[in-house]
Amino acid sequence: MELKTSRAIRAQLTAVMRGLTTLVPLKLLKLFDAAELELLVSGAPAIDLADWRANTAYVGYAEGDEPVRLFWQAVEMFSEASPCMLSPSLTHTHTH
């Protein structure tokens, strides 16, 4: 399946690489891994802390518990990029 997908978009990928390497030499692009390159091109995603907090499901804790309150206080003090790095390690889906 991966090979079919790669073949299907080969022309588009070639065009993107051609355009990108006119701006940044390939030897410099090779210094970055995929995640770093995505961050450089797209920037850090904005996180809506109010939405994140409102849609958090607590397991073994309640919203008013001290560890939970301290967590949200710390998150609110982070720079704009920091919650983006934190949230993937804390978010997951339960399938109960």
Side-chain angles (χ1 to χ4, degrees):
M1 175 127 159
E2 184 178 329
L3 186 56
K4 279 186 175 183
T5 303
S6 295
R7 286 182 182 163
I9 61 170
R10 182 175 291 150
Q12 291 89 341
L13 289 174
T14 300
V16 167
M17 281 302 295
R18 190 176 314 119
L20 189 55
T21 56
T22 62
L23 300 172
V24 182
L26 185 58
K27 67 180 182 180
L28 293 178
L29 287 175
K30 288 182 178 183
L31 296 174
F32 302 101
D33 65 24
E36 292 169 329
L37 189 57
E38 179 181 9
L39 184 60
L40 289 171
V41 170
S42 302
I47 295 213
D48 182 342
L49 291 179
D51 181 63
W52 183 18
R53 188 173 187 167
N55 291 289
T56 296
Y58 300 99
V59 178
Y61 291 94
E63 186 174 356
D65 290 347
E66 184 177 15
V68 174
R69 287 193 328 265
L70 292 172
F71 170 79
W72 289 115
Q73 285 176 5
V75 169
E76 288 169 0
M77 291 187 304
F78 288 159
S79 71
E80 204 167 294
S82 297
C84 298
M85 297 183 313
L86 175 65
S87 64
S89 66
L90 296 175
T91 58
H92 62 281
T93 302
H94 289 283
T95 55
H96 302 303

